[in-house]
Amino acid sequence: QQQVKQSPQSLIVQKGGISIINCAYENTAFDYFPWYQQFPGKGPALLIAIRPDVSEKKEGRFTISFNKSAKQFSLHIMDSQPGDSATYFCAPRRGSQGNLIFGKGTKLSVKP
Amino acid sequence: GAVVSQHPSRVICKSGTSVKIECRSLDFQATTMFWYRQFPKQSLMLMATSNEGSKATYEQGVEKDKFLINHASLTLSTLTVTSAHPEDSSFYICSARDSAATGAGELFFGEGSRLTVL
């Protein structure tokens, strides 16, 4: 059973546009919802994360929207830039010592 | 921010040989480290959880005799791929959590190690 479903698999956005990536999860025990950014040949890096007690968190051009009842959270990248081109993973977790459960990833390409 | 270093970043070896990959937390102590495997254009797959001073916990389907993990100190975990074969060629990534940190318990990832078995 796939615990985390991420969509779309790939995304092409024009420079300055909005990139939206979605993540649906099954396990209601998840209590930490991060997004990771990975460039080719590099390890993933935490981009932004949210706890389930808030519905939205914004850091610069990056926003997480969280819908607990729908068991979904999404990443919005405003004013997308070519430097944002990377693969993005949602990776919810249960408890502070729990493992991250990675989605399959979304390859974002921002065209100049 | 916290730094996790992996070495080597790239390694090429002949089939049948063993390869060791190191994962170090440079500015924090980590009682727990995680080892992942990532095939091209795929997601990260957790292989095992490395625990300082005790045996690693392996995920289902991961051969513990094939992928030897040693967590000898609070800042170093090693993954040894024994008798490597071409199908072991992959990108291996480690992550570590600061044992002293409170709150979210963020995981910090290494830069990854690309293994190519000829």
Side-chain angles (χ1 to χ4, degrees), chain B residues 2 18 28 41 48 53 58-59 61 64 75 85 95 98-99 101 104 109:
Chain B
S18 295
F28 64 96
K41 298 184 180 181
Y58 290 82
E59 295 299 303
K64 62 180 180 180
T75 59
H85 288 92
S95 69
D98 186 345
S99 303
F109 285 82

Side-chain angles (χ1 to χ4, degrees), chain B residues 69-113:
Chain B
I69 292 173
N70 184 278
H71 196 148
S73 76
L74 288 172
T75 59
L76 174 65
S77 175
T78 61
L79 168 69
T80 301
V81 183
T82 63
S83 186
H85 288 92
E87 58 265 30
D88 298 324
S89 299
S90 188
F91 193 51
Y92 292 88
I93 307 171
C94 71
S95 69
R97 181 178 288 128
D98 186 345
S99 303
T102 58
E106 180 182 348
L107 277 175
F108 300 97
F109 285 82
E111 289 285 276
S113 298

